[in-house]
Amino acid sequence: MQPTLVVMAAGVGSRFGGLKQIEPVGPSGEIMLDYSVFDAIRAGFGKVVFIIRRDIEKDFKAVIGSHFAGKLEIAYVFQEKDACLPPGFIAPPERLKPWGTGHAILCCREAVREPFGVINADDFYGRDSYRVLAEFLSRKTIDSSDYAMVGFALANTLSDHGHVTRGICEVDANRMLRSVKERFKIEKTAAGARYEDENGQWHDLRGGEIASMNMFGFTPALFPELERKFPAFLASARGKPKAEFLMPAIADELIREKRAALRVLETPEKWFGVTYKEDKPIVAAGIRQLIARGHYPARLWP
């Protein structure tokens, strides 16, 4: 059974200032998703499910259709603030966007029937990351609660142009995830990094911590867990219009409840991301270096 790749592409992109998912970064006009799908195909993924919003559907499909038609099976899922809500719950008017990464994956429950990987649309994870994830997923049954996360060194995931949010992971000697804590407003420092807590206090980080970049490996056994947890989250989020149902926090809860195990997969790859417009030239330069080393052809698709 070939695994499926789920691509979270419903992000508003407000900090970037546009639809960053279709911004070209490759020398032949390739977008970030071109490299993700190219790496996924050669790693053994057989299908891709794109999670998008309806207001970007036309533009998004125009790019995706022209780039990937005939290369693998493609499906689309829509994540809106009122999608996949439990019976009786209505999204409050002050809620302006969907409910986060856990909500995005929940919206895929009717489209995914096999072990699946999850990535962000605007992140570059590298070919080896897809290889180790596909190898892990190819050994899993659909009812397994043995999941995976590809971990990256925190220092290799930060932007020079503003703060970011990362899940900081604690891993045991067997590379099993013990816990993951979502840290907001992480920024680079001369000594490594630091983050600001909810009380406005700053805390130092070394930079070598393992960060979750939303590259996960799951099976359909996850969907009932999300259905179970989502109502409780919504109840706790009343009066908090910016609260998010985040996958790193959900994974942390499942581990503590002993309802899942999550292995942190090792990869030598460096992560690239476009959070701010100023990040794009750095990503483009990194891709050119990989092309020069023979990791990618200058033109991905004939």
Side-chain angles (χ1 to χ4, degrees), residues 1 112-116 136-137 139-147 217-225 259-261:
M1 181 184 298
V112 177
R113 293 287 184 268
E114 52 282 312
F116 61 99
F136 176 88
L137 292 171
R139 298 191 296 265
K140 298 303 161 189
T141 59
I142 61 173
D143 59 349
S144 172
S145 59
D146 183 16
Y147 305 141
F218 297 117
T219 74
L222 177 68
F223 296 128
E225 298 289 1
R259 297 183 67 89

Side-chain angles (χ1 to χ4, degrees), residues 198-217:
E198 61 274 13
N199 299 315
Q201 300 297 311
W202 288 94
H203 303 268
D204 290 330
L205 296 164
R206 302 184 312 277
E209 295 87 352
I210 295 175
S212 166
M213 302 307 300
N214 284 332
M215 190 176 200
F216 290 102

Side-chain angles (χ1 to χ4, degrees), residues 1-3 39-45 115 117 127-140 150 215 217 265:
M1 181 184 298
Q2 287 183 293
D39 284 334
I41 290 172
R42 62 180 175 179
F45 288 85
R127 64 180 183 180
D128 195 67
S129 302
Y130 290 91
R131 179 188 62 79
V132 297
L133 185 58
E135 289 177 355
F136 176 88
L137 292 171
S138 297
R139 298 191 296 265
K140 298 303 161 189
V150 179
M215 190 176 200
L265 304 178

Side-chain angles (χ1 to χ4, degrees), residues 78-110:
F78 298 100
Q79 185 192 14
E80 307 288 349
K81 69 176 184 178
D82 55 355
C84 301
L85 296 180
F89 185 88
I90 299 175
E94 63 270 20
R95 183 76 192 188
L96 301 179
K97 61 180 183 177
W99 303 88
T101 53
H103 178 226
I105 297 170
L106 179 59
C107 290
C108 294
R109 60 189 173 187
E110 302 299 325

Side-chain angles (χ1 to χ4, degrees), residues 159-291:
S159 173
D160 291 324
H161 306 291
H163 61 78
V164 297
T165 297
R166 299 286 183 259
I168 306 300
C169 305
E170 181 185 359
V171 180
D172 69 16
N174 296 315
R175 302 295 294 180
M176 300 303 294
L177 186 67
R178 284 180 174 171
S179 66
V180 55
K181 301 297 182 185
E182 202 78 12
R183 300 301 187 193
F184 303 90
K185 294 190 71 173
I186 302 176
E187 61 182 28
K188 281 187 176 181
T189 65
R194 66 175 186 169
Y195 72 91
E196 186 180 25
D197 65 23
E198 61 274 13
N199 299 315
Q201 300 297 311
W202 288 94
H203 303 268
D204 290 330
L205 296 164
R206 302 184 312 277
E209 295 87 352
I210 295 175
S212 166
M213 302 307 300
N214 284 332
M215 190 176 200
F216 290 102
F218 297 117
T219 74
L222 177 68
F223 296 128
E225 298 289 1
L226 295 176
E227 291 171 344
R228 178 177 64 88
K229 288 188 169 295
F230 196 34
F233 162 80
L234 291 172
S236 68
R238 293 186 188 278
K240 303 174 183 177
K242 295 185 178 181
E244 292 191 276
F245 189 52
L246 296 174
M247 199 59 241
I250 298 164
D252 185 60
E253 290 179 9
L254 292 174
I255 291 168
R256 287 190 285 105
E257 296 167 357
K258 301 189 184 303
R259 297 183 67 89
L262 199 148
R263 180 172 297 279
V264 178
L265 304 178
E266 297 184 71
T267 174
E269 299 288 356
K270 182 177 180 180
W271 173 92
F272 298 118
V274 180
T275 302
Y276 302 91
K277 274 188 178 295
E278 294 83 356
D279 293 327
K280 181 183 169 183
I282 298 172
V283 173
I287 289 174
R288 286 196 301 270
Q289 290 177 1
L290 291 171
I291 291 171

Side-chain angles (χ1 to χ4, degrees), residues 21-78:
Q21 293 90 345
I22 60 175
E23 280 283 320
V25 293
S28 300
E30 292 88 355
I31 63 173
M32 199 82 80
L33 280 173
D34 281 309
Y35 291 96
S36 296
V37 175
F38 184 85
D39 284 334
I41 290 172
R42 62 180 175 179
F45 288 85
K47 174 183 175 182
V48 61
V49 176
F50 292 109
I51 306 172
I52 62 175
R53 302 190 320 273
R54 291 194 182 276
D55 65 306
I56 66 172
E57 178 183 5
K58 182 179 179 181
D59 289 341
F60 195 93
K61 282 188 173 181
V63 173
I64 299 306
S66 62
H67 286 215
F68 307 137
K71 295 180 175 64
L72 78 171
E73 183 181 351
I74 299 174
Y76 293 92
V77 168
F78 298 100

